[in-house]
Amino acid sequence: MPNFMSGCLEVDPLVSVIVPVYNGESYIVEAMESIYAQTYSRLEVIVVNDGSTDGSEEKLRPYRDRIRYIYKANGGIASAYNLGAQACTGDFVCFLEQDDMWLPTKVESQVKYLLEKPMMGMVFCRYFTMNEKDPAVQHQLSYLWPDEVSFEDLFIMTLERSSIITFSSVLMRKKSLGSLMPFDEQLRVSVDYDAWLRLSYKGKLGFMSVPLLKYRLHDSNTSSVPIYALQDDVIVLQKWAGQSDVRNAIGKEKVAGRLWRVWDALRFCHVQLGDVSAERRCLMAMIRLRPLSADSMLQLLLSFFSRNMRQALGWYFTKLERFVSRH
């Protein structure tokens, strides 16, 4: 392995790796093996078992002499990251979620990137999505970001999987991690989105277009439950939308539009679940953001009718709208 600090330090910087685990027995061995297959060897591996009730602890037993193992009662991903961060002693910090896998040069490439760009606090990389059962089956590459990602880039990002900046793709300076602490423990899914917004508010984030990670898609991903991500994103975006400097920098209408789209997606989830009260709360939030939106007002009116009546009225209004547009 090359010495990146040649002429400055005798050894390469220590990299702390935080691995949160919760009922990860199916994939944790593959994740751990991808750490020890890295071409960069100065690693401090901190595994936080977030109260697993499956065989995760037994799967981790062969690694116990090479890791710092912390067991805690279940408290969610943010609490696991917070505890792991407190134990870090490295110059750089990265993360690996229990169901993902690093490609061998991931850490080496990102350490080199940050050493060459001393003003950059964090870098993340592109990744492959992989099959639930077979990591050799790769699907698609993630979203291609600008070389330097701004707060505005992140604020207006869509909710598509391809645009996620997953924890596993990141390497940051220890001081950058310190500025993020603590991660918001009220969030179930969007802990990463909240963290990167806060970090990018202070300076741009670096992006490497080379894929250095395999991100696993499966039904038990917390992020695969849309309503959780949308509920979190409402919390995250409302914090920023309330700041005048954010509205001035991005544009009041663009900020309102971004938040409106999240409320609308959340509304649709509640419609699918048959939760009319929650649907109306979403619609009221949408109307406050865009008071002149006739569609939101119409949807609110329709919410007071039965499902069958709503479908019939919806069909009628669609026909009426098409007739008006033709004439």
Side-chain angles (χ1 to χ4, degrees):
M1 181 192 71
N3 187 339
F4 297 126
M5 299 297 288
S6 177
C8 300
L9 294 175
E10 293 182 359
V11 294
D12 293 309
L14 178 65
V15 176
S16 298
V17 183
I18 303 174
V19 185
V21 179
Y22 176 68
N23 290 349
E25 64 177 359
S26 298
Y27 309 115
I28 189 58
V29 171
E30 291 176 339
M32 296 300 294
E33 288 300 311
S34 78
I35 294 174
Y36 293 110
Q38 290 296 297
T39 56
Y40 193 93
S41 59
R42 282 211 75 212
L43 302 174
E44 170 191 61
V45 182
I46 302 163
V47 177
V48 182
N49 187 337
D50 189 33
S52 296
T53 58
D54 66 351
S56 294
E57 187 165 4
E58 186 62 31
K59 293 285 188 180
L60 288 164
R61 197 172 302 280
Y63 304 98
R64 291 290 286 272
D65 61 343
R66 292 185 283 173
I67 66 176
R68 296 182 64 184
Y69 181 76
I70 302 171
Y71 182 89
K72 62 180 286 294
N74 180 248
I77 188 72
S79 68
Y81 278 131
N82 283 332
L83 191 56
Q86 292 172 20
C88 288
T89 63
D91 305 287
F92 296 100
V93 181
C94 55
F95 315 87
L96 181 60
E97 298 189 336
Q98 64 188 21
D99 40 10
D100 296 337
M101 296 172 64
W102 285 340
L103 296 178
T105 61
K106 194 267 186 188
V107 176
E108 178 185 333
S109 300
Q110 291 188 317
V111 168
K112 183 178 180 181
Y113 178 98
L114 287 184
L115 290 176
E116 291 175 348
K117 295 178 181 263
M119 300 305 292
M120 194 70 70
M122 181 189 109
V123 62
F124 66 99
C125 66
R126 211 173 184 194
Y127 55 83
F128 294 106
T129 57
M130 64 178 170
N131 183 273
E132 177 177 355
K133 296 181 179 179
D134 185 357
V137 180
Q138 298 171 355
H139 295 289
Q140 63 183 17
L141 277 169
S142 61
Y143 184 77
L144 193 61
W145 291 87
D147 291 342
E148 295 185 0
V149 177
S150 68
F151 176 85
E152 181 176 352
D153 293 329
L154 281 175
F155 190 92
I156 64 175
M157 68 184 280
T158 66
L159 296 172
E160 296 173 1
R161 272 201 178 105
S162 59
S163 65
I164 290 172
I165 302 176
T166 175
F167 269 107
S168 297
S169 71
V170 164
L171 185 130
M172 66 174 61
R173 301 182 192 279
K174 179 69 177 293
K175 64 180 181 181
S176 296
L177 178 65
S179 71
L180 287 175
M181 296 299 293
F183 293 112
D184 190 342
E185 296 187 13
Q186 73 171 318
L187 302 175
R188 300 178 62 174
V189 178
S190 302
V191 181
D192 46 5
Y193 188 32
D194 177 61
W196 314 148
L197 278 172
R198 286 191 281 138
L199 200 57
S200 65
Y201 187 69
K202 301 174 182 178
K204 291 186 177 181
L205 311 179
F207 171 66
M208 300 178 70
S209 59
V210 57
L212 298 170
L213 165 73
K214 293 181 181 180
Y215 174 77
R216 194 187 306 265
L217 299 177
H218 54 85
D219 291 339
S220 57
N221 282 121
T222 308
S223 58
S224 67
V225 184
I227 195 167
Y228 294 160
L230 292 165
Q231 288 169 338
D232 277 5
D233 279 4
V234 164
I235 294 171
V236 172
L237 292 170
Q238 281 186 320
K239 290 191 296 187
W240 294 103
Q243 294 188 200
S244 58
D245 59 335
V246 171
R247 294 195 301 271
N248 292 337
I250 297 178
K252 184 177 179 181
E253 179 54 34
K254 190 178 288 188
V255 169
R258 173 72 173 98
L259 193 51
W260 188 93
R261 288 191 296 274
V262 177
W263 276 115
D264 190 37
L266 183 57
R267 176 196 69 82
F268 182 76
C269 286
H270 288 308
V271 170
Q272 298 298 103
L273 294 171
D275 190 339
V276 177
S277 295
E279 177 195 0
R280 288 176 188 153
R281 287 195 297 271
C282 293
L283 285 164
M284 290 303 297
M286 293 164 64
I287 291 168
R288 284 193 293 271
L289 287 165
R290 289 181 170 174
L292 300 180
S293 172
D295 183 65
S296 297
M297 296 295 292
L298 175 60
Q299 292 298 330
L300 181 61
L301 176 63
L302 289 175
S303 73
F304 290 92
F305 293 90
S306 68
R307 180 180 291 270
N308 289 339
M309 181 64 72
R310 290 176 69 172
Q311 290 176 344
L313 289 172
W315 176 87
Y316 172 79
F317 283 120
T318 299
K319 290 287 188 181
L320 180 61
E321 184 179 31
R322 289 175 181 172
F323 175 81
V324 171
S325 66
R326 287 197 301 266
H327 298 79

